[in-house]
Amino acid sequence: MPTESPAKRAKITSTDEAMKVIAELEKERDMWKAKAMGTGVPFPATHWPAGKPSLKGAPTYPAYDQSKPKDAFLAVCDMLIDEICGELGPGYETPEAEVAWVRRMLNYNVRGGKMNRGLMVVESGLQILEGKGMPTGNDTVVKLAILGWCIEWLQGWLLVADDFMDDSHTRRGQKCWYLLPDVQKIALNDAFLIEMIVFKVLKRHFSAQPYYAQLVDLFMETTFQTECGQLLDTLCLNLGLNDFTEQRWTLIVKYKTAFYSFYASVALGMIVAGISDVKEYNSCRDILMIMGIYFQAQDDYLDCFGTPEAIGKIGTDIQDKKCGWLFVHAYHQLANAEQKAVFDKLYGKCKVQSPEEQTIKDLYTELKLPELYVKYEQDSYDKIMSLKGTVNEVPWGVFDAFMKKIYKRSK
């Protein structure tokens, strides 16, 4: 049952009772006014200690130079790292050595890279806001960039954990974090820490916004979806090669990659712009799922046929017995019994850059997987373009911008 207001609850029989009801109404009015204006203490249970910097009011933002998108975006990352490290001492009694560790860890794992996911939050968000005739001043652009870094940091913690679980060697052209001599298993706690920093950033910069709960909901859902995809991926270790079907591959990449890498980047701008039509979100999701699945097929292809210099890492899918796009098509659709026997003998049982791994790669070429991939790439593009008329509030330029970044990419 909904709570009734004091006026409806009370039976007024005297002047004193009337004054009491008025006082209660004024108190209720002030509470809602404080909520609407972002004043008062919205989270009293965590409003402690008093010296915590994030409790000292709304932050001020630096100028965001849109003529230098990557430099401006990186400057926001540096601002967020400074904020987090500045919060640890006075807010959480963290010693200087641990604060220095967090700063080093964040700079190593979340700063830099291609930043496509985060930059697309800014680019798509501005297109959506401008399309709706809404203001796009400096603070708005910086807030979009902050949301972009929340996506980048979400990816960052996932990759720290993923590299550890996959025994990966390199990431973004450098050693995986867990491989550093003074890190090793500490990397797992660092991954969890980065995950929670995302929600700290959201609270600090968006808790006064009417759409704050929607942002938290999207990040919680996206994180859970991605972890479900990771579950499907890691449990492949317990499965036989015959279980590595195209259907399982599609589920893995849809949940492990497509939601956080594509849908979330656009949905964030939609939330900021106040879009509430479920059909619009569904239409955008349909398009972005195709893009995300195609993107992961590219990743699987480049893991095998790309060079470490181009893709920034050494491909390990064959060694790691990954349920990948190349394998599911080769094993279930193209290989004869003799070729399947080669897969059964070597796939997931050989080392990176070994002759046995090269045998698998040569078999992919023999089975004409590169030619099949080119056809799949064109089919994915055509399918995406066929959905052009299904969105109304989100400009098609948003999807064009994504395609320009990923279509026929080589790294």
Side-chain angles (χ1 to χ4, degrees), residues 18-305:
M19 296 302 294
K20 184 178 179 182
V21 169
I22 290 170
E24 290 181 10
L25 284 168
E26 288 176 341
K27 183 178 179 181
E28 186 176 9
R29 177 204 63 196
D30 292 342
M31 178 191 73
W32 288 110
K33 183 178 179 182
K35 285 180 177 290
M37 296 179 65
T39 57
V41 180
F43 305 105
T46 56
H47 197 80
W48 177 91
K52 190 188 291 185
S54 60
L55 300 180
K56 295 181 179 179
T60 56
Y61 297 136
Y64 193 97
D65 186 354
Q66 294 187 56
S67 68
K68 300 176 180 177
K70 287 193 174 182
D71 290 343
F73 192 61
L74 279 168
V76 173
C77 179
D78 294 336
M79 177 191 80
L80 295 175
I81 291 174
D82 286 344
E83 282 183 0
I84 289 298
C85 293
E87 185 96 343
L88 289 172
Y92 299 91
E93 303 177 71
T94 309
E96 289 184 7
E98 280 71 17
V99 174
W101 176 279
V102 171
R103 183 180 293 277
R104 173 189 165 208
M105 180 267 293
L106 292 174
N107 276 307
Y108 196 95
N109 291 293
V110 303
R111 191 186 189 279
K114 294 188 290 289
M115 306 182 293
N116 282 338
R117 295 163 183 84
L119 288 167
M120 277 309 302
V121 176
V122 179
E123 188 171 344
S124 61
L126 287 174
Q127 284 199 48
I128 294 167
L129 289 166
E130 289 166 358
K132 294 178 72 66
M134 299 175 71
T136 55
N138 187 74
D139 282 8
T140 299
V141 181
V142 175
K143 282 185 178 296
L144 288 172
I146 291 169
L147 291 175
W149 279 110
C150 285
I151 289 285
E152 290 288 330
W153 291 21
L154 167 61
Q155 183 196 32
W157 85 260
L158 289 165
L159 293 181
V160 170
D162 196 51
D163 287 343
F164 184 86
M165 288 184 278
D166 287 348
D167 296 319
S168 297
H169 299 162
T170 56
R171 173 71 62 183
R172 294 174 176 172
Q174 59 186 4
K175 274 188 178 181
C176 293
W177 178 242
Y178 81 94
L179 287 176
L180 300 188
D182 62 335
V183 179
Q184 301 185 53
K185 292 181 180 179
I186 299 170
L188 288 179
N189 189 70
D190 289 338
F192 302 148
L193 190 61
I194 299 171
E195 178 187 14
M196 292 316 302
I197 286 173
V198 170
F199 291 94
K200 294 292 292 178
V201 169
L202 288 173
K203 182 179 179 182
R204 182 165 193 167
H205 293 274
F206 296 95
S207 59
Q209 301 301 319
Y211 51 79
Y212 172 57
Q214 291 189 58
L215 295 179
V216 173
D217 175 65
L218 179 62
F219 272 97
M220 288 176 64
E221 184 73 2
T222 302
T223 301
F224 187 70
Q225 288 165 331
T226 308
E227 290 172 354
C228 285
Q230 182 71 359
L231 175 70
L232 288 164
D233 187 25
T234 54
L235 285 183
C236 286
L237 289 171
N238 298 337
L239 299 177
L241 297 184
N242 206 48
D243 299 310
F244 288 13
T245 62
E246 186 177 2
Q247 181 184 16
R248 184 175 185 87
W249 173 81
T250 302
L251 276 176
I252 291 171
V253 303
K254 177 180 179 180
Y255 282 88
K256 185 177 177 179
T257 299
F259 281 107
Y260 93 85
S261 294
F262 288 82
Y263 176 66
S265 293
V266 177
L268 287 168
M270 296 171 72
I271 289 171
V272 172
I275 294 175
S276 59
D277 183 5
V278 173
K279 290 182 179 179
E280 188 74 2
Y281 284 96
N282 290 344
S283 295
C284 290
R285 188 185 301 107
D286 289 343
I287 297 166
L288 294 162
M289 287 301 100
I290 300 170
M291 284 192 191
I293 292 167
Y294 157 56
F295 174 83
Q296 189 58 51
Q298 287 179 316
D299 249 23
D300 291 356
Y301 181 84
L302 292 171
D303 185 273
C304 177
F305 292 108

Side-chain angles (χ1 to χ4, degrees), residues 320-333:
D320 296 339
K321 189 186 160 187
K322 285 293 184 179
C323 180
W325 187 90
L326 294 166
F327 177 82
V328 301
H329 286 86
Y331 194 81
H332 289 286
Q333 298 174 20

